[in-house]
Amino acid sequence: MSEKKTKRRDFLFTATTAVGAVGAAAVVWPMIDQMNPDASVKALASTEVDVSSLTPGNTLTVLWRGKPVFIRRRTQKEIDEARSVKMEELIHPEKDEDRAKNPEWLVMLGVCTHLGCVPLNDKGDYNGWFCPCHGSHYDTSGRIRKGPAPWNMEVPKYEFVNANTIKIG
Amino acid sequence: MSDHDYRPKSKVGQWFNDRLPLLTLANHLTDYPTPKNLNYWWTFGGILTFCLITQIVTGLTLAMHYIAHADMAFESVEHIMRDVNYGWLIRYIHANGASMFFLAVYIHIFRSLFYGSYKSPREIIWILGIIIYLLMMAAAFMGYVLPWGQMSFWGATVITNLFSAIPLVGEGIVTWLWGGYSVDNPTLTRFFTLHYLIPFLILGLVVLHIWALHVPGNNNPVGIDIKKPSKDTVPFHPYIVIKDGFALLMFMIVFAFFVFYAPNILGHADNYIEANPMVTPAHIVPEWYLLPFYAILRSVPDKLLGVVAMLSAILILAVLPWLDTSKIRSAVFRPLYKQFYWILVADVLILGYVGAMPAEGLYLLIARVATAYYFLHFLVILPVLGFKEKTLPVPLSITEPVLGGSPNLAAARNKESKIE
């Protein structure tokens, strides 16, 4: 008799705790999610850039989603350098062909994958970019070659709207 | 002397105290028996309380004029400096107050390390202290972001990016922390909110820290358990109050020197340039009090492991009471530990120095050696030392070495002479 009563209690305790936990989670989630990017931030998802003035060997830096984006019009020498690298030599192996569909144009986030600084143009041991914060070297394809950064600089989604305009995002 | 026997003299006092025993608490704090040999290294608890209250008061007043918005924050800080009555003074006290707070907390921590104050039965006091220290770092970091200068912006970028080292969920966490795809206005407003909140959390933890302290009572330079109250103790008031007060005055002279004569020497000139997400300053350096950990972060060539090493360097302190296997508390009676203690002090200072230098060449090498030694000290030297070290005989009471009859009279008297 008494044993049966204890079991009823146990069931009530477990059920109450479970419902309570679900309820608490339902209240906590909105409090956590409110910190994620809001609708107005997400609305600024794409930007169009006029690149007609860019000559080979130069870089244009534009702001997209609060981050700098490098648009580099590469010289033939830079393209050759980037395409001749063997995959084994890379920390984060990616073919230049995959990073720059149109070899002349390299579009990538100008954000070091180590801790988010903006790397400097035409610097470093691989003639690409150099991050002054903690010494990461990137090659002419924006791939990490030396230093603490774990990945290549990220290539965002982009397309040529026409011959002179790139749409990022 | 005993708290429980206390009864206020007046009728009104008794009536009140029976309903809310605040007067019993006040009496406990006044009469609290304190070891009579406490030296000036023990005055930093009081100094830290002063620092916390100073930061809260100046912070509240600054918040009346500051605007937490990416477009206006930088200007509002200049507005405080130029237009607000005594705004310059309040801001300089607050900014330098953070440095003074850390200066005091480092002395306080290293005092504990020297005299073994973290050991049984004071582990909880110590762990609460480490939590307070972590919250202080969080508050200081977020406070540094608020002026929205170049160092604010890029410091925030680098530090929040530390979380991206976490496998799988790292990027998501960073976006969540930012409230966007980079450090921007949503980041600033939430940092302001948290910067406002944390000091009050610290205040609550300080109450627990002192509560936990009042259970076993203070450690002391000799590091032995004492009976309280006894010949070895004095009441907190007036003895310790006066001593703490004098030390606080000396501390305020240093504080005032920075506020009035070198208010920007501990800051970075780049933070007087408004935040620009397109340009990273050539050298991103954190404030001086975070440099040793920054050096540890940079000394590891792998992103995730660097972050792990940096966090471990702080969290290892929380398990210190169990890493130090020696039963003797005070370094006065531990001839070997005393030497390793000073090597650790030097090691941390070296880490701080190389943390301010570029991470390359010789600096990087020094940072790596110093990082390795830091962990060696806590993980190997301290546990082994407890078994190997031949400690000096410890006196039975604080009074004993003074009155004679102790074999290590000289060693103990050294530490005692200031008091007796």
Side-chain angles (χ1 to χ4, degrees):
Chain A
M1 176 77 187
S2 68
E3 202 176 281
K4 201 180 174 189
K5 259 187 183 167
T6 317
K7 276 182 182 164
R8 270 171 66 92
R9 269 286 147 87
D10 283 348
F11 174 76
L12 279 174
F13 278 139
T14 312
T16 312
T17 313
V19 172
V22 171
V27 176
V28 166
W29 176 246
M31 305 310 268
I32 294 173
D33 193 43
Q34 54 84 20
M35 281 175 69
N36 272 317
D38 59 40
S40 73
V41 172
K42 283 180 180 162
L44 303 168
S46 74
T47 186
E48 289 192 6
V49 188
D50 179 10
V51 292
S52 55
S53 60
L54 205 59
T55 52
N58 280 305
T59 305
L60 189 67
T61 309
V62 295
L63 209 58
W64 172 66
R65 285 179 160 187
K67 283 177 177 168
V69 173
F70 292 153
I71 301 172
R72 173 87 178 174
R73 190 164 183 183
R74 298 191 294 186
T75 60
Q76 193 55 47
K77 183 169 164 276
E78 289 170 347
I79 298 168
D80 295 342
E81 250 181 73
R83 304 228 150 164
S84 63
V85 179
K86 292 197 196 80
M87 284 298 115
E88 305 88 88
E89 293 171 29
L90 295 172
I91 296 168
H92 175 194
E94 267 186 327
K95 279 189 185 155
D96 186 62
E97 286 82 346
D98 296 333
R99 292 177 58 80
K101 295 270 189 266
N102 179 347
E104 201 181 353
W105 298 92
L106 178 65
V107 180
M108 61 186 182
L109 292 185
V111 175
C112 180
T113 58
H114 182 224
L115 295 173
C117 296
V118 180
L120 303 169
N121 280 318
D122 302 314
K123 290 257 164 60
D125 297 354
Y126 297 87
N127 304 320
W129 285 265
F130 172 72
C131 182
C133 292
H134 306 95
S136 292
H137 298 256
Y138 295 89
D139 66 13
T140 55
S141 186
R143 292 174 297 199
I144 179 67
R145 301 301 291 275
K146 196 171 127 187
W151 305 297
N152 304 333
M153 280 192 263
E154 189 187 336
V155 176
K157 200 175 135 234
Y158 70 91
E159 58 183 0
F160 276 88
V161 182
N162 56 52
N164 290 330
T165 313
I166 296 179
K167 183 181 164 206
I168 305 165
Chain B
M1 280 266 219
S2 175
D3 307 327
H4 307 290
D5 308 341
Y6 176 75
R7 241 184 123 57
K9 286 192 187 79
S10 73
K11 268 258 159 70
V12 181
Q14 285 173 18
W15 178 88
F16 182 83
N17 206 49
D18 285 344
R19 282 150 184 82
L20 178 67
L22 268 188
L23 295 170
T24 301
L25 177 66
N27 174 260
H28 161 79
L29 294 175
T30 315
D31 281 356
Y32 172 66
T34 323
K36 63 180 177 182
N37 61 340
L38 294 189
N39 57 34
Y40 275 104
W41 300 114
W42 259 266
T43 59
F44 282 86
I47 288 171
L48 283 162
T49 312
F50 165 81
C51 287
L52 178 61
I53 291 166
T54 304
Q55 290 307 86
I56 289 178
V57 172
T58 52
L60 283 172
T61 42
L62 286 172
M64 294 179 188
H65 305 280
Y66 171 78
I67 301 167
H69 189 283
D71 297 336
M72 288 177 273
F74 187 81
E75 267 180 55
S76 76
V77 171
E78 283 311 302
H79 161 72
I80 288 169
M81 293 302 288
R82 292 154 195 252
D83 305 337
V84 175
N85 299 332
Y86 294 103
W88 60 272
L89 178 65
I90 300 169
R91 176 167 174 262
Y92 278 155
I93 292 174
H94 195 72
N96 286 285
S99 283
M100 292 301 113
F101 206 154
F102 275 95
L103 176 68
V105 92
Y106 282 129
I107 295 172
H108 194 62
I109 291 172
F110 274 98
R111 188 269 289 152
S112 282
L113 293 179
F114 189 85
Y115 294 110
S117 302
Y118 49 85
K119 291 187 197 185
S120 173
R122 296 183 180 83
E123 300 96 319
I124 298 293
I125 312 173
W126 171 256
I127 291 170
L128 285 167
I130 297 299
I131 299 171
I132 292 170
Y133 174 50
L134 278 171
L135 284 176
M136 277 174 65
M137 289 200 275
F141 158 66
M142 290 194 240
Y144 196 57
V145 175
L146 303 185
W148 211 238
Q150 272 290 68
M151 277 296 156
S152 300
F153 183 90
W154 291 101
T157 300
V158 167
I159 300 296
T160 47
N161 259 308
L162 292 177
F163 291 92
S164 71
I166 303 167
L168 302 175
V169 292
E171 295 290 338
I173 289 176
V174 173
T175 305
W176 177 71
L177 287 173
W178 286 340
Y181 305 102
S182 64
V183 172
D184 211 329
N185 195 49
T187 326
L188 178 60
T189 49
R190 66 190 55 179
F191 276 21
F192 180 57
T193 311
L194 295 173
H195 182 72
Y196 208 122
L197 168 71
I198 290 175
F200 296 99
L201 297 180
I202 293 178
L203 192 63
L205 284 163
V206 166
V207 171
L208 295 183
H209 192 65
I210 295 171
W211 186 1
L213 168 72
H214 281 228
V215 176
N218 293 67
N219 183 30
N220 63 79
V222 185
I224 53 168
D225 291 324
I226 52 166
K227 259 210 227 138
K228 36 164 213 168
S230 72
K231 269 188 183 169
D232 280 345
T233 67
V234 289
F236 186 77
H237 183 75
Y239 297 96
I240 304 297
V241 170
I242 290 297
K243 188 162 184 154
D244 276 2
F246 179 69
L248 180 59
L249 272 177
M250 294 295 114
F251 185 79
M252 283 162 84
I253 291 174
V254 179
F255 199 145
F257 168 80
F258 281 108
V259 170
F260 292 106
Y261 292 95
N264 288 308
I265 202 163
L266 298 169
H268 198 294
D270 276 21
N271 223 27
Y272 282 101
I273 303 170
E274 193 169 0
N276 179 357
M278 303 280 268
V279 183
T280 306
H283 269 310
I284 298 185
V285 211
E287 294 275 82
W288 68 267
Y289 39 80
L290 302 175
L291 286 173
F293 300 110
Y294 193 58
I296 292 175
L297 167 76
R298 297 193 306 179
S299 72
V300 182
D302 180 86
K303 180 171 166 179
L304 178 60
L305 292 180
V307 175
V308 169
M310 185 182 70
L311 288 178
S312 313
I314 304 168
L315 295 178
I316 204 169
L317 293 172
V319 290
L320 177 61
W322 296 275
L323 289 173
D324 186 344
T325 51
S326 176
K327 293 274 178 285
I328 306 295
R329 293 199 190 99
S330 176
V332 172
F333 305 104
R334 301 184 63 190
L336 283 178
Y337 173 72
K338 199 193 270 178
Q339 293 172 35
F340 284 115
Y341 169 85
W342 288 113
I343 296 174
L344 179 73
V345 172
D347 188 65
V348 172
L349 291 175
I350 289 168
L351 279 172
Y353 174 74
V354 292
M357 296 293 137
E360 55 200 27
L362 187 62
Y363 293 125
L364 190 57
L365 182 70
I366 295 171
R368 285 181 177 161
V369 173
T371 299
Y373 183 81
Y374 182 90
F375 287 103
L376 193 75
H377 176 90
F378 289 107
L379 294 175
V380 180
I381 295 173
L382 281 189
V384 173
L385 212 54
F387 298 107
K388 298 280 177 200
E389 187 177 32
K390 201 167 154 18
T391 54
L392 303 174
V394 174
L396 294 171
S397 74
I398 292 172
T399 334
E400 188 202 345
V402 184
L403 298 177
S406 167
N408 51 293
L409 200 56
R413 180 169 285 168
N414 237 344
K415 294 283 146 194
E416 292 260 330
S417 54
K418 288 190 196 97
I419 286 85
E420 287 298 316

PDB file of all heavy atoms in Angstrom, chain B residues 375-399:
ATOM      1  N   PHE B 375      53.020  26.950 -16.532  1.00  0.00           N
ATOM      2  CA  PHE B 375      52.275  25.703 -16.298  1.00  0.00           C
ATOM      3  C   PHE B 375      53.106  24.700 -15.499  1.00  0.00           C
ATOM      4  O   PHE B 375      52.570  23.958 -14.681  1.00  0.00           O
ATOM      5  CB  PHE B 375      51.806  25.108 -17.626  1.00  0.00           C
ATOM      6  CG  PHE B 375      50.675  25.879 -18.225  1.00  0.00           C
ATOM      7  CD1 PHE B 375      50.878  26.748 -19.283  1.00  0.00           C
ATOM      8  CD2 PHE B 375      49.398  25.780 -17.693  1.00  0.00           C
ATOM      9  CE1 PHE B 375      49.827  27.477 -19.812  1.00  0.00           C
ATOM     10  CE2 PHE B 375      48.341  26.501 -18.212  1.00  0.00           C
ATOM     11  CZ  PHE B 375      48.556  27.355 -19.281  1.00  0.00           C
ATOM     12  N   LEU B 376      54.411  24.706 -15.751  1.00  0.00           N
ATOM     13  CA  LEU B 376      55.303  23.825 -14.998  1.00  0.00           C
ATOM     14  C   LEU B 376      55.215  24.115 -13.502  1.00  0.00           C
ATOM     15  O   LEU B 376      55.159  23.207 -12.663  1.00  0.00           O
ATOM     16  CB  LEU B 376      56.740  24.032 -15.496  1.00  0.00           C
ATOM     17  CG  LEU B 376      57.768  22.996 -15.063  1.00  0.00           C
ATOM     18  CD1 LEU B 376      57.561  21.721 -15.869  1.00  0.00           C
ATOM     19  CD2 LEU B 376      59.185  23.525 -15.269  1.00  0.00           C
ATOM     20  N   HIS B 377      55.167  25.398 -13.159  1.00  0.00           N
ATOM     21  CA  HIS B 377      55.106  25.803 -11.758  1.00  0.00           C
ATOM     22  C   HIS B 377      53.898  25.181 -11.063  1.00  0.00           C
ATOM     23  O   HIS B 377      54.014  24.599  -9.992  1.00  0.00           O
ATOM     24  CB  HIS B 377      55.037  27.331 -11.655  1.00  0.00           C
ATOM     25  CG  HIS B 377      54.872  27.840 -10.246  1.00  0.00           C
ATOM     26  ND1 HIS B 377      55.944  28.142  -9.439  1.00  0.00           N
ATOM     27  CD2 HIS B 377      53.764  28.072  -9.498  1.00  0.00           C
ATOM     28  CE1 HIS B 377      55.493  28.547  -8.252  1.00  0.00           C
ATOM     29  NE2 HIS B 377      54.173  28.513  -8.272  1.00  0.00           N
ATOM     30  N   PHE B 378      52.730  25.304 -11.707  1.00  0.00           N
ATOM     31  CA  PHE B 378      51.504  24.844 -11.061  1.00  0.00           C
ATOM     32  C   PHE B 378      51.303  23.337 -11.166  1.00  0.00           C
ATOM     33  O   PHE B 378      50.796  22.708 -10.242  1.00  0.00           O
ATOM     34  CB  PHE B 378      50.299  25.577 -11.644  1.00  0.00           C
ATOM     35  CG  PHE B 378      50.240  27.019 -11.235  1.00  0.00           C
ATOM     36  CD1 PHE B 378      50.538  28.030 -12.148  1.00  0.00           C
ATOM     37  CD2 PHE B 378      49.926  27.375  -9.926  1.00  0.00           C
ATOM     38  CE1 PHE B 378      50.505  29.360 -11.756  1.00  0.00           C
ATOM     39  CE2 PHE B 378      49.886  28.703  -9.539  1.00  0.00           C
ATOM     40  CZ  PHE B 378      50.178  29.702 -10.456  1.00  0.00           C
ATOM     41  N   LEU B 379      51.693  22.770 -12.311  1.00  0.00           N
ATOM     42  CA  LEU B 379      51.362  21.360 -12.542  1.00  0.00           C
ATOM     43  C   LEU B 379      52.438  20.395 -12.071  1.00  0.00           C
ATOM     44  O   LEU B 379      52.149  19.235 -11.784  1.00  0.00           O
ATOM     45  CB  LEU B 379      51.076  21.113 -14.028  1.00  0.00           C
ATOM     46  CG  LEU B 379      49.819  21.810 -14.556  1.00  0.00           C
ATOM     47  CD1 LEU B 379      49.696  21.618 -16.049  1.00  0.00           C
ATOM     48  CD2 LEU B 379      48.579  21.284 -13.837  1.00  0.00           C
ATOM     49  N   VAL B 380      53.682  20.833 -11.988  1.00  0.00           N
ATOM     50  CA  VAL B 380      54.768  19.924 -11.598  1.00  0.00           C
ATOM     51  C   VAL B 380      55.442  20.382 -10.305  1.00  0.00           C
ATOM     52  O   VAL B 380      55.482  19.643  -9.319  1.00  0.00           O
ATOM     53  CB  VAL B 380      55.812  19.797 -12.732  1.00  0.00           C
ATOM     54  CG1 VAL B 380      56.922  18.849 -12.306  1.00  0.00           C
ATOM     55  CG2 VAL B 380      55.154  19.327 -14.021  1.00  0.00           C
ATOM     56  N   ILE B 381      55.940  21.612 -10.301  1.00  0.00           N
ATOM     57  CA  ILE B 381      56.740  22.060  -9.161  1.00  0.00           C
ATOM     58  C   ILE B 381      55.939  22.033  -7.858  1.00  0.00           C
ATOM     59  O   ILE B 381      56.370  21.446  -6.862  1.00  0.00           O
ATOM     60  CB  ILE B 381      57.323  23.469  -9.430  1.00  0.00           C
ATOM     61  CG1 ILE B 381      58.305  23.397 -10.594  1.00  0.00           C
ATOM     62  CG2 ILE B 381      58.007  24.005  -8.175  1.00  0.00           C
ATOM     63  CD1 ILE B 381      58.823  24.730 -11.061  1.00  0.00           C
ATOM     64  N   LEU B 382      54.735  22.652  -7.866  1.00  0.00           N
ATOM     65  CA  LEU B 382      53.958  22.720  -6.626  1.00  0.00           C
ATOM     66  C   LEU B 382      53.576  21.335  -6.076  1.00  0.00           C
ATOM     67  O   LEU B 382      53.787  21.079  -4.889  1.00  0.00           O
ATOM     68  CB  LEU B 382      52.709  23.579  -6.819  1.00  0.00           C
ATOM     69  CG  LEU B 382      52.929  25.095  -6.770  1.00  0.00           C
ATOM     70  CD1 LEU B 382      51.596  25.809  -6.762  1.00  0.00           C
ATOM     71  CD2 LEU B 382      53.747  25.501  -5.563  1.00  0.00           C
ATOM     72  N   PRO B 383      53.039  20.422  -6.913  1.00  0.00           N
ATOM     73  CA  PRO B 383      52.691  19.101  -6.354  1.00  0.00           C
ATOM     74  C   PRO B 383      53.910  18.351  -5.815  1.00  0.00           C
ATOM     75  O   PRO B 383      53.829  17.735  -4.756  1.00  0.00           O
ATOM     76  CB  PRO B 383      52.078  18.356  -7.554  1.00  0.00           C
ATOM     77  CG  PRO B 383      51.637  19.414  -8.496  1.00  0.00           C
ATOM     78  CD  PRO B 383      52.584  20.542  -8.305  1.00  0.00           C
ATOM     79  N   VAL B 384      55.040  18.414  -6.527  1.00  0.00           N
ATOM     80  CA  VAL B 384      56.230  17.679  -6.106  1.00  0.00           C
ATOM     81  C   VAL B 384      56.837  18.289  -4.850  1.00  0.00           C
ATOM     82  O   VAL B 384      57.235  17.595  -3.924  1.00  0.00           O
ATOM     83  CB  VAL B 384      57.267  17.629  -7.259  1.00  0.00           C
ATOM     84  CG1 VAL B 384      58.573  17.024  -6.766  1.00  0.00           C
ATOM     85  CG2 VAL B 384      56.705  16.836  -8.436  1.00  0.00           C
ATOM     86  N   LEU B 385      56.841  19.624  -4.817  1.00  0.00           N
ATOM     87  CA  LEU B 385      57.492  20.337  -3.718  1.00  0.00           C
ATOM     88  C   LEU B 385      56.928  19.941  -2.347  1.00  0.00           C
ATOM     89  O   LEU B 385      57.662  19.828  -1.363  1.00  0.00           O
ATOM     90  CB  LEU B 385      57.323  21.846  -3.934  1.00  0.00           C
ATOM     91  CG  LEU B 385      58.451  22.735  -3.432  1.00  0.00           C
ATOM     92  CD1 LEU B 385      59.775  22.303  -4.004  1.00  0.00           C
ATOM     93  CD2 LEU B 385      58.155  24.184  -3.797  1.00  0.00           C
ATOM     94  N   GLY B 386      55.599  19.703  -2.315  1.00  0.00           N
ATOM     95  CA  GLY B 386      54.955  19.346  -1.054  1.00  0.00           C
ATOM     96  C   GLY B 386      55.539  18.087  -0.440  1.00  0.00           C
ATOM     97  O   GLY B 386      55.575  17.932   0.782  1.00  0.00           O
ATOM     98  N   PHE B 387      56.033  17.182  -1.283  1.00  0.00           N
ATOM     99  CA  PHE B 387      56.593  15.931  -0.783  1.00  0.00           C
ATOM    100  C   PHE B 387      58.094  16.034  -0.536  1.00  0.00           C
ATOM    101  O   PHE B 387      58.627  15.409   0.364  1.00  0.00           O
ATOM    102  CB  PHE B 387      56.315  14.791  -1.777  1.00  0.00           C
ATOM    103  CG  PHE B 387      54.846  14.536  -1.972  1.00  0.00           C
ATOM    104  CD1 PHE B 387      54.204  14.901  -3.142  1.00  0.00           C
ATOM    105  CD2 PHE B 387      54.100  13.950  -0.947  1.00  0.00           C
ATOM    106  CE1 PHE B 387      52.847  14.675  -3.313  1.00  0.00           C
ATOM    107  CE2 PHE B 387      52.740  13.719  -1.106  1.00  0.00           C
ATOM    108  CZ  PHE B 387      52.113  14.084  -2.287  1.00  0.00           C
ATOM    109  N   LYS B 388      58.785  16.821  -1.360  1.00  0.00           N
ATOM    110  CA  LYS B 388      60.254  16.828  -1.321  1.00  0.00           C
ATOM    111  C   LYS B 388      60.824  17.866  -0.359  1.00  0.00           C
ATOM    112  O   LYS B 388      61.892  17.686   0.199  1.00  0.00           O
ATOM    113  CB  LYS B 388      60.805  17.128  -2.733  1.00  0.00           C
ATOM    114  CG  LYS B 388      60.432  16.096  -3.769  1.00  0.00           C
ATOM    115  CD  LYS B 388      61.327  14.872  -3.668  1.00  0.00           C
ATOM    116  CE  LYS B 388      60.883  13.821  -4.680  1.00  0.00           C
ATOM    117  NZ  LYS B 388      61.376  12.481  -4.337  1.00  0.00           N
ATOM    118  N   GLU B 389      60.107  18.974  -0.193  1.00  0.00           N
ATOM    119  CA  GLU B 389      60.693  20.109   0.521  1.00  0.00           C
ATOM    120  C   GLU B 389      60.834  19.835   2.016  1.00  0.00           C
ATOM    121  O   GLU B 389      59.945  19.282   2.655  1.00  0.00           O
ATOM    122  CB  GLU B 389      59.798  21.333   0.330  1.00  0.00           C
ATOM    123  CG  GLU B 389      60.389  22.606   0.877  1.00  0.00           C
ATOM    124  CD  GLU B 389      59.484  23.789   0.575  1.00  0.00           C
ATOM    125  OE1 GLU B 389      58.250  23.591   0.523  1.00  0.00           O
ATOM    126  OE2 GLU B 389      59.994  24.884   0.378  1.00  0.00           O
ATOM    127  N   LYS B 390      61.988  20.254   2.569  1.00  0.00           N
ATOM    128  CA  LYS B 390      62.196  20.154   4.005  1.00  0.00           C
ATOM    129  C   LYS B 390      61.840  21.515   4.591  1.00  0.00           C
ATOM    130  O   LYS B 390      62.562  22.493   4.404  1.00  0.00           O
ATOM    131  CB  LYS B 390      63.661  19.809   4.277  1.00  0.00           C
ATOM    132  CG  LYS B 390      63.878  19.203   5.644  1.00  0.00           C
ATOM    133  CD  LYS B 390      65.265  18.588   5.725  1.00  0.00           C
ATOM    134  CE  LYS B 390      65.827  18.509   7.130  1.00  0.00           C
ATOM    135  NZ  LYS B 390      64.940  18.630   8.248  1.00  0.00           N
ATOM    136  N   THR B 391      60.681  21.591   5.242  1.00  0.00           N
ATOM    137  CA  THR B 391      60.225  22.888   5.743  1.00  0.00           C
ATOM    138  C   THR B 391      60.839  23.193   7.107  1.00  0.00           C
ATOM    139  O   THR B 391      61.279  22.289   7.822  1.00  0.00           O
ATOM    140  CB  THR B 391      58.690  22.906   5.871  1.00  0.00           C
ATOM    141  OG1 THR B 391      58.295  21.803   6.673  1.00  0.00           O
ATOM    142  CG2 THR B 391      58.041  22.808   4.507  1.00  0.00           C
ATOM    143  N   LEU B 392      60.836  24.465   7.461  1.00  0.00           N
ATOM    144  CA  LEU B 392      61.353  24.896   8.753  1.00  0.00           C
ATOM    145  C   LEU B 392      60.293  24.659   9.832  1.00  0.00           C
ATOM    146  O   LEU B 392      59.107  24.619   9.523  1.00  0.00           O
ATOM    147  CB  LEU B 392      61.710  26.381   8.706  1.00  0.00           C
ATOM    148  CG  LEU B 392      62.715  26.794   7.632  1.00  0.00           C
ATOM    149  CD1 LEU B 392      62.868  28.309   7.603  1.00  0.00           C
ATOM    150  CD2 LEU B 392      64.056  26.120   7.870  1.00  0.00           C
ATOM    151  N   PRO B 393      60.716  24.503  11.084  1.00  0.00           N
ATOM    152  CA  PRO B 393      59.727  24.297  12.151  1.00  0.00           C
ATOM    153  C   PRO B 393      58.813  25.516  12.289  1.00  0.00           C
ATOM    154  O   PRO B 393      59.274  26.651  12.209  1.00  0.00           O
ATOM    155  CB  PRO B 393      60.568  24.110  13.407  1.00  0.00           C
ATOM    156  CG  PRO B 393      61.978  24.075  12.974  1.00  0.00           C
ATOM    157  CD  PRO B 393      62.088  24.512  11.562  1.00  0.00           C
ATOM    158  N   VAL B 394      57.531  25.247  12.483  1.00  0.00           N
ATOM    159  CA  VAL B 394      56.529  26.304  12.572  1.00  0.00           C
ATOM    160  C   VAL B 394      56.224  26.585  14.041  1.00  0.00           C
ATOM    161  O   VAL B 394      56.100  25.640  14.825  1.00  0.00           O
ATOM    162  CB  VAL B 394      55.248  25.857  11.828  1.00  0.00           C
ATOM    163  CG1 VAL B 394      54.137  26.857  12.012  1.00  0.00           C
ATOM    164  CG2 VAL B 394      55.555  25.650  10.349  1.00  0.00           C
ATOM    165  N   PRO B 395      56.113  27.857  14.435  1.00  0.00           N
ATOM    166  CA  PRO B 395      55.808  28.152  15.847  1.00  0.00           C
ATOM    167  C   PRO B 395      54.399  27.703  16.217  1.00  0.00           C
ATOM    168  O   PRO B 395      53.537  27.543  15.356  1.00  0.00           O
ATOM    169  CB  PRO B 395      55.933  29.676  15.923  1.00  0.00           C
ATOM    170  CG  PRO B 395      55.731  30.161  14.527  1.00  0.00           C
ATOM    171  CD  PRO B 395      56.261  29.088  13.634  1.00  0.00           C
ATOM    172  N   LEU B 396      54.158  27.527  17.488  1.00  0.00           N
ATOM    173  CA  LEU B 396      52.858  27.044  17.943  1.00  0.00           C
ATOM    174  C   LEU B 396      51.822  28.161  18.017  1.00  0.00           C
ATOM    175  O   LEU B 396      50.631  27.925  17.927  1.00  0.00           O
ATOM    176  CB  LEU B 396      52.999  26.388  19.320  1.00  0.00           C
ATOM    177  CG  LEU B 396      53.833  25.108  19.311  1.00  0.00           C
ATOM    178  CD1 LEU B 396      54.107  24.648  20.732  1.00  0.00           C
ATOM    179  CD2 LEU B 396      53.129  24.016  18.522  1.00  0.00           C
ATOM    180  N   SER B 397      52.312  29.378  18.231  1.00  0.00           N
ATOM    181  CA  SER B 397      51.398  30.509  18.260  1.00  0.00           C
ATOM    182  C   SER B 397      52.117  31.724  17.689  1.00  0.00           C
ATOM    183  O   SER B 397      53.318  31.686  17.452  1.00  0.00           O
ATOM    184  CB  SER B 397      50.941  30.809  19.688  1.00  0.00           C
ATOM    185  OG  SER B 397      52.005  31.417  20.399  1.00  0.00           O
ATOM    186  N   ILE B 398      51.366  32.804  17.470  1.00  0.00           N
ATOM    187  CA  ILE B 398      51.986  34.013  16.939  1.00  0.00           C
ATOM    188  C   ILE B 398      52.894  34.637  17.990  1.00  0.00           C
ATOM    189  O   ILE B 398      53.946  35.180  17.693  1.00  0.00           O
ATOM    190  CB  ILE B 398      50.891  35.014  16.506  1.00  0.00           C
ATOM    191  CG1 ILE B 398      50.146  34.465  15.287  1.00  0.00           C
ATOM    192  CG2 ILE B 398      51.490  36.370  16.182  1.00  0.00           C
ATOM    193  CD1 ILE B 398      48.927  35.264  14.904  1.00  0.00           C
ATOM    194  N   THR B 399      52.493  34.507  19.246  1.00  0.00           N
ATOM    195  CA  THR B 399      53.241  35.123  20.335  1.00  0.00           C
ATOM    196  C   THR B 399      54.545  34.398  20.622  1.00  0.00           C
ATOM    197  O   THR B 399      55.537  35.023  20.993  1.00  0.00           O
ATOM    198  CB  THR B 399      52.392  35.120  21.626  1.00  0.00           C
ATOM    199  OG1 THR B 399      51.029  35.104  21.254  1.00  0.00           O
ATOM    200  CG2 THR B 399      52.698  36.326  22.458  1.00  0.00           C
TER     201      THR B 399
END
